[in-house]
Amino acid sequence: MADQRRDSEHRPSPEALLEAARREERRIGKLRIFVGAAPGVGKTYEMLQQARARKKDGYDVVAGVVETHGRRETEALLEGLEIVPRRHVEYKGQKLEEMDLDAIIARRPQIVLVDELAHSNVEGSRHPKRYLDVQELMNHGIDVYTTVNIQHIESLNDVVAQITHVRVRETVPDAVFDRADAIELVDLTPDDLIQRLKEGKVYFPKQAERALEHFFSPANLTALRELALRRTADRVDEQLLTEMQAHAIQGPWPAGERILVCISEDPRAAGLVRYTKRLADRLHGPWMALYVEGRRSAQLSEEQRDRIADTLRLAEALGGEAVTLPASDRPIAEDVISYAQANNATQIVIGKSTRTRWFEILHGSVVHDLVRRSGNISVHVISGEAIAGPPIPKKSVRAAERDDAGNPWPYIAALAAVALALAVAEVIYSFLGSENVDLVFLTAIVGVAVRLGLWPSLLASVAASLCYNFFFLPPIYTFTITDPVNIAAFVFFILVAIIVSNVAARGRTLAMAAMERARTTDSLYAFARKLAGAGTLDDVLWATAYQTALMLKVRVVLLLPERGAIAVKAGYPPEDILGDADLAAANRPRLRYAARRQASVPAHAHRPRRHRRDGDRLRQAGPAPDHRPAAAPRRARRSGRARDRARASRRGDGSRRARR
């Protein structure tokens, strides 16, 4: 088993293999992007140089669109390359030139040069943006060389506007940039670029003067250069991680800093996330927040679960990646180390434990295990004072209390099980003797733990121990034990009973958690099928309301803006809408018809038995109290719009109910 586990850990990542297979697929062309910090750094010049080198190596290279801007050095590099003529487009009385996409596809070269990836096409073109033209060329198996300035990357648009006070209107989505098979940074120092600008190698003299006064200041160029270097480094780091996962290379490789922070239900977890964000900013590296969902996760309270979810959301809001990892049968520290190695994390941040020494002796310490097993990964153990900060505020809306909270029946059932075990033990004692009755009590304790949980099983353990002492250990019918052997037997029985109850209750908790995850997965799958079969917006809204009510055990009403007001569009249970006096008084025939149709023919009609059980379970859970008027009695079920129309036509009276 250990060898199989190690083999599974060293296997390549399926996602990385899929990505590598996609990139090696010859039917899809490859994308090479030449990135620069500003216009004039030499992106087009470098692209043409590499294109000429590929042509010399025997590749079929054509120029789809190359903007030389009148620079003689760039125009000289175009000589000897086949140029696909551009198409002419009439726009507002002017003749404009655009790349001829169809001509390039018909020509089917191996490599095509497409300058200025962020360019917006003339109105009436097949695609509004040039990067969409590039994607179509790649789908036809053509490799594309293109150029882009860092200020045209969508995620950096606001940052560039703050630096240069110029809002760039033409942008490229980050997904296109991250899709590139190769990123090449064309770098030039601000002094050299300003000198090129003064020499007229970037813009014409009048344009160059205005540019020097505004955009091309040394401070702006330095900031843009840093942005270009960082964004390119991030992309290279992603490529390195993909290659490591595809070839099952165990990290970390310290090519760049990647930080992993471990969070839990501890209230200090939010401060730990903020500390990691500050550390990542100082190290200029990406970071991740990891929560390992172990055996204890099923025993957490609703408030603790909310705290974990809020902490993960905080990590995403601060720019980190939130990850929830199901625990294996190994210690949690090993799961964390395996994830850190697979994702090339160079540093791990974890909070200092506040648990007692006895707890660590019995259950182990994740912090100590991490430090011992980390290897080349640095581990930061942060104290409470270092991560002090504002905690995540408590929720003003609380989930409904569990139905079994304060329920005495499980404890009564546990005592009844012990009484039954006592009766069976008396029968066995009369035939076989006292040495076999302890197994009867242990069987009852296991049954209580499996069916009712930990605390009823502990009560059963205490009651069974007392019954075993009182009825079967001499002197009988007293709680006094004089024989040392009987004392040892009694103590041993108590310890075994408590251990057995804990183990059985833990197994029950894990089984219930697995069943709950399976139900959730199945419910989401059914929801996806409902959405796939939805034909109208009403069907989508009703399916959403039903699924939300089923999972959260609450009443749900969906509100949407309509004609300048807020209208009720869907809800569950459906009788809440049909019985709402305010809604009935409103003049909304389409809404009333849709609500009645949802009540009569729900989206889950193709699986009636199972979802009737879900609806019964939802109603048994007890909806949240509200103060609306009582629901009107439900009418007989109808089968849909066709049956309503048929009944209306048979009546022929155009009744109000048929119109609704």
Side-chain angles (χ1 to χ4, degrees):
M1 291 297 293
D3 294 337
Q4 293 178 358
R5 185 189 306 160
R6 283 193 293 268
D7 292 340
S8 64
E9 290 176 1
H10 293 283
R11 289 174 184 169
S13 168
E15 294 80 6
L17 289 177
L18 183 62
E19 178 69 14
R22 183 189 64 80
R23 292 180 180 276
E24 293 296 330
E25 180 65 47
R26 294 309 304 166
R27 290 176 297 176
I28 300 178
K30 294 184 178 182
L31 178 62
R32 181 182 294 267
I33 300 179
F34 296 86
V35 184
V41 297
K43 302 181 301 298
T44 305
Y45 189 89
E46 180 65 25
M47 179 181 68
L48 288 172
Q49 278 191 327
Q50 293 204 19
R52 292 177 68 89
R54 295 293 181 273
K55 184 175 178 61
K56 189 177 294 185
D57 292 338
Y59 287 86
D60 183 15
V61 183
V62 301
V65 53
V66 176
E67 302 292 349
T68 63
H69 298 289
R71 301 164 191 162
R72 290 191 297 271
E73 299 89 347
T74 307
E75 291 175 351
L77 290 176
L78 269 175
E79 296 178 3
L81 292 178
E82 179 183 348
I83 301 176
V84 178
R86 304 187 194 183
R87 62 184 181 89
H88 297 275
V89 182
E90 290 282 346
Y91 181 71
K92 294 184 179 181
Q94 296 182 352
K95 286 187 177 182
L96 303 177
E97 292 183 345
E98 289 291 351
M99 181 177 66
D100 196 338
L101 184 60
D102 293 325
I104 297 174
I105 294 174
R107 171 66 174 74
R108 293 192 69 84
Q110 289 179 288
I111 300 174
V112 61
L113 310 182
V114 181
D115 209 356
E116 297 184 0
L117 183 62
H119 172 75
S120 297
N121 293 331
V122 177
E123 202 173 299
S125 301
R126 184 185 308 174
H127 302 297
K129 289 288 190 176
R130 184 167 288 173
Y131 68 82
L132 298 174
D133 296 337
V134 167
Q135 290 179 347
E136 184 172 348
L137 291 172
M138 294 169 58
N139 291 335
H140 283 82
I142 303 173
D143 294 347
V144 179
Y145 286 10
T146 186
T147 63
V148 70
N149 289 323
I150 197 63
Q151 64 263 29
H152 294 290
I153 304 299
E154 178 67 36
S155 62
L156 301 177
N157 189 260
D158 294 335
V159 179
V160 172
Q162 293 176 3
I163 294 172
T164 63
H165 304 288
V166 176
R167 173 69 65 175
V168 178
R169 300 300 177 187
E170 295 180 329
T171 58
V172 175
D174 287 63
V176 177
F177 189 84
D178 295 334
R179 163 67 180 80
D181 297 270
I183 301 290
E184 293 197 21
L185 177 64
V186 182
D187 191 27
L188 194 65
T189 63
D191 293 338
D192 291 341
L193 181 55
I194 292 174
Q195 184 62 33
R196 283 174 53 84
L197 195 67
K198 292 179 179 179
E199 293 173 356
K201 296 181 179 180
V202 180
Y203 296 129
F204 293 111
K206 290 185 178 179
Q207 291 178 319
E209 291 179 3
R210 290 196 299 269
L212 285 171
E213 294 175 358
H214 299 90
F215 190 86
F216 283 81
S217 67
N220 288 352
L221 294 178
T222 301
L224 293 175
R225 188 186 183 199
E226 183 179 1
L227 281 178
L229 291 170
R230 286 191 181 183
R231 189 63 178 86
T232 306
D234 291 341
R235 180 68 187 109
V236 173
D237 183 70
E238 293 175 3
Q239 289 179 330
L240 173 63
L241 180 59
T242 302
E243 289 297 321
M244 293 179 62
Q245 293 177 346
H247 296 87
I249 300 174
Q250 288 295 310
W253 279 6
E257 297 293 342
R258 295 176 69 88
I259 307 170
L260 176 67
V261 55
C262 302
I263 67 170
S264 64
E265 71 279 3
D266 195 306
R268 302 175 302 166
L272 202 64
V273 167
R274 297 187 186 98
Y275 173 86
T276 306
K277 166 62 175 174
R278 296 192 297 269
L279 179 62
D281 289 342
R282 290 197 299 269
L283 298 177
H284 306 299
W287 60 285
M288 303 160 286
L290 175 66
Y291 172 67
V292 180
E293 194 174 27
R295 293 189 296 265
R296 292 184 60 254
S297 302
Q299 304 173 3
L300 298 179
S301 64
E302 194 69 30
E303 182 180 357
Q304 291 173 327
R305 293 173 184 269
D306 289 341
R307 188 181 300 130
I308 293 171
D310 290 339
T311 305
L312 292 174
R313 281 193 289 268
L314 175 64
E316 289 182 337
L318 295 178
E321 179 183 357
V323 181
T324 299
L325 183 68
S328 62
D329 55 349
R330 304 175 300 175
I332 291 180
E334 289 192 17
D335 291 330
V336 174
I337 293 297
S338 298
Y339 183 84
Q341 292 175 344
N343 291 271
N344 201 32
T346 58
Q347 302 190 37
I348 296 178
V349 178
I350 189 169
K352 187 177 180 180
S353 176
T354 57
R355 295 188 172 101
T356 62
R357 184 61 179 171
W358 281 110
F359 184 91
E360 293 183 353
I361 292 174
L362 294 175
H363 301 279
S365 172
V366 177
V367 176
H368 295 166
D369 291 344
L370 273 179
V371 174
R372 284 193 298 267
R373 303 170 189 264
S374 59
N376 295 330
I377 304 176
S378 301
V379 179
H380 301 256
V381 182
I382 311 302
S383 63
E385 292 77 10
I387 57 176
I392 296 178
K394 293 184 178 180
K395 294 184 179 297
S396 57
V397 178
R398 300 177 62 184
E401 297 292 337
R402 296 177 57 182
D403 294 338
D404 57 353
N407 187 5
W409 289 109
Y411 301 94
I412 297 175
L415 295 177
V418 174
L420 179 61
L422 176 61
V424 174
E426 287 285 356
V427 175
I428 294 176
Y429 178 75
S430 61
F431 290 99
L432 301 178
S434 63
E435 61 271 8
N436 296 303
V437 298
D438 53 350
L439 296 179
V440 178
F441 288 110
L442 290 177
T443 303
I445 293 171
V446 171
V448 171
V450 171
R451 296 292 299 175
L452 303 176
L454 177 61
W455 294 107
S457 68
L458 291 178
L459 176 62
S461 300
V462 175
S465 301
L466 295 176
C467 290
Y468 181 66
N469 179 16
F470 189 81
F471 291 98
F472 300 103
L473 290 181
I476 300 177
Y477 306 128
T478 65
F479 291 106
T480 303
I481 305 176
T482 57
D483 189 357
V485 176
N486 291 335
I487 294 176
F490 178 70
V491 173
F492 179 75
F493 179 82
I494 292 177
L495 292 178
V496 171
I498 294 176
I499 292 174
V500 166
S501 64
N502 274 273
V503 172
R506 179 173 294 181
R508 173 182 180 270
T509 301
L510 293 177
M512 292 182 62
M515 293 175 58
E516 185 65 26
R517 285 195 296 267
R519 280 196 296 266
T520 302
T521 302
D522 191 62
S523 180
L524 292 176
Y525 175 68
F527 178 53
R529 290 200 301 174
K530 291 189 190 76
L531 292 182
T536 63
L537 178 61
D538 288 339
D539 294 336
V540 174
L541 294 176
W542 192 91
T544 303
Y546 170 79
Q547 188 66 29
T548 305
L550 181 64
M551 296 184 70
L552 300 182
K553 306 296 186 294
V554 294
R555 290 175 177 172
V556 177
V557 176
L558 299 183
L559 308 176
L560 289 180
E562 181 179 293
R563 300 176 183 176
I566 302 297
V568 179
K569 285 297 185 181
Y572 193 90
E575 53 265 28
D576 285 353
I577 294 181
L578 292 176
D580 194 337
D582 296 335
L583 180 61
N587 186 18
R588 302 188 188 277
R590 178 186 175 190
L591 176 59
R592 289 196 296 271
Y593 175 81
R596 189 173 68 250
R597 182 188 176 200
Q598 292 161 0
S600 58
V601 188
H604 60 278
H606 61 284
R607 299 179 70 187
R609 292 184 179 178
R610 177 174 171 220
H611 285 285
R612 268 204 299 271
R613 289 198 304 268
D614 292 340
D616 294 340
R617 194 163 61 247
L618 176 64
R619 284 187 287 273
Q620 291 172 5
D626 60 7
H627 304 285
R628 292 180 293 182
R634 295 185 64 180
R635 298 183 177 90
R637 288 181 177 268
R638 298 184 176 93
S639 61
R641 188 188 302 243
R643 181 173 295 181
D644 289 344
R645 289 177 177 174
R647 290 183 177 180
S649 63
R650 286 198 299 269
R651 285 194 301 268
D653 55 357
S655 64
R656 178 171 176 264
R657 183 168 58 181
R659 288 197 302 272
R660 291 190 298 178

